[in-house]
Each structure stands twice: as C-alpha cells, then as structure tokens.
Amino acid sequence: MKEKRCRECSTNPPYFDETYCLDRYDGRLQSALHQLKYQCRLACAHGLAATWNALLSKGLITTKADYLLPVPLSQEKLCTRGFNQSWELARRIDCDKHIHKNPHILKRYHHTQHQANENRANRQIAIQDMFYINPQHQGQLESASVIVFDDVMTSGATLNEIARVLKDNGVSHVINWVLLRTLRPSQRSEHV
C-alpha cells in the first residue's frame, strides 16, 4: 500500500507511525457511535466492531502488534458514563491471538474542560501530560508494537500525546485504529 500523509503530518511528523480510520465522522456510522456513546446502547458496539472486523478479514489493516489498548477515560468520566466506548469497541475486535488487549495499561488524568469545540492548538495544549502508564505495567511495553484504539479522531492531539507517552516508555511502533475521523474545515469543502 502506498504511504499517504496529510500536509500537517508531513510538516509536523506525529509520534504515532500509522493511522487507520474506518469512516468519516459525518458518515453512515456516526449515528450508531452516538447511540453507543450517549445513549448507552452497547449493542451498537457489536455492529461497529463487526464492520471493523470485516476490514481486518480482508487484510486492509495492519495487524502486526503486541498490544491493543483503548484510549482511556478518566476515572471520573468512566463513572459518569459507566463504560469506555473505545474499550467496548476494541474488546470486540477479532485480532490475532498474540495481540494482548488490555484496558488497564494506559491511564488518564481527569480533565474538566470539554475539547469538542476547541481548535487544534488548544487541544494539543489541553492534552499535554494527560496520559500515563499504569505503574503496575511499567516496563512491560519495552520494544513493543502497540495499537491504540479510539472511537473518533478529530485533531489527532489525543492520539499523538498517547503515542508520545508510549514511546517515552519504550514502545517502538504505535498504530492508531480509529472508528471515525472528522475532516478539517478545508477538507470538508474539498470532499463535498
């Protein structure tokens, strides 16, 4: 497959090495994700994961990794929502049995501010030092290849910060698997 990089990634290379997205945010799967996330309809996780698994079965996504880790929620957010949507999706992904799925390695501090309406620069500032490796798993990731699973990629700031933390802790390769990707305003007009 030919390597594709957006202008931003070519200008300012991220810490992560690869990103695979299933669909755009305003596409057909957005409603199912919203039902999962905001209406606690966990059954939607099965359908969304099945769509992801269909791509895996066709060999369209890189699956060589040691770990599959969901983007974590803070304890406060987890208690409020009752579940981590990224984990609910990731745990249903049919990957090779040698890939260890673990929702406890990556941790997140609580952030009181919502990022949904923030611009890229503000997101990057807000997310700095927000993630850490659970001390019980310290050293476990040395020279590992890690897949980070997230439900939505907006600016990429969260996934980039997680990749930085993982690489600072010895990870050799970080791959993002993302269900939906938002388009930047300039991309929206180009793809309409």
Side-chain angles (χ1 to χ4, degrees):
M1 181 179 352
K2 183 180 174 188
E3 182 177 327
K4 298 176 185 178
R5 284 190 165 231
C6 68
R7 190 175 329 152
E8 179 63 30
C9 288
S10 296
T11 305
N12 299 310
Y15 289 99
F16 52 80
D17 299 289
E18 300 173 61
T19 299
Y20 296 89
C21 299
L22 187 59
D23 198 8
R24 66 179 195 267
Y25 185 72
D26 58 355
R28 294 180 177 177
L29 301 177
Q30 181 183 10
S31 176
L33 178 61
H34 282 200
Q35 288 177 44
L36 167 64
K37 224 171 151 170
Y38 305 116
Q39 297 172 12
C40 300
R41 294 192 178 161
L42 291 175
C44 290
H46 292 287
L48 291 167
T51 305
W52 192 268
N53 289 333
L55 286 180
L56 286 175
S57 69
K58 292 177 183 175
L60 299 174
I61 300 172
T62 298
T63 58
K64 293 183 179 176
D66 302 298
Y67 291 92
L68 175 60
L69 310 177
V71 169
L73 296 179
S74 68
Q75 274 307 121
E76 292 84 349
K77 184 76 169 189
L78 189 58
C79 287
T80 301
R81 182 168 288 155
F83 63 95
N84 177 343
Q85 70 280 357
S86 292
W87 173 240
E88 291 302 322
L89 293 163
R91 71 189 191 98
R92 291 169 170 85
I93 299 296
D94 296 332
C95 32
D96 296 339
K97 58 185 173 191
H98 71 277
I99 297 176
H100 304 286
K101 297 178 185 179
N102 192 321
H104 306 293
I105 292 177
L106 272 175
K107 295 291 185 181
R108 180 183 191 142
Y109 295 109
H110 185 60
H111 194 282
T112 55
Q113 210 175 336
H114 290 287
Q115 292 190 66
N117 296 318
E118 293 291 337
N119 66 31
R120 182 179 178 85
N122 288 345
R123 282 175 180 261
Q124 288 174 328
I125 292 166
I127 208 74
Q128 283 180 335
D129 300 320
M130 191 62 58
F131 300 95
Y132 63 98
I133 302 297
N134 181 337
Q136 294 176 337
H137 298 280
Q138 206 72 42
Q140 190 173 327
L141 302 174
E142 192 67 37
S143 300
S145 180
V146 173
I147 297 167
V148 178
F149 195 94
D150 202 3
D151 61 334
V152 177
M153 181 179 188
T154 304
S155 69
T158 296
L159 291 165
N160 196 46
E161 179 64 10
I162 287 172
R164 184 192 66 77
V165 168
L166 289 170
K167 288 193 171 180
D168 284 352
N169 282 275
V171 170
S172 63
H173 195 79
V174 178
I175 304 160
N176 299 322
W177 284 0
V178 180
L179 189 65
L180 304 178
R181 172 75 162 103
T182 63
L183 298 176
R184 290 188 294 278
S186 63
Q187 289 177 311
R188 285 188 190 115
S189 60
E190 292 170 12
H191 290 90
V192 173

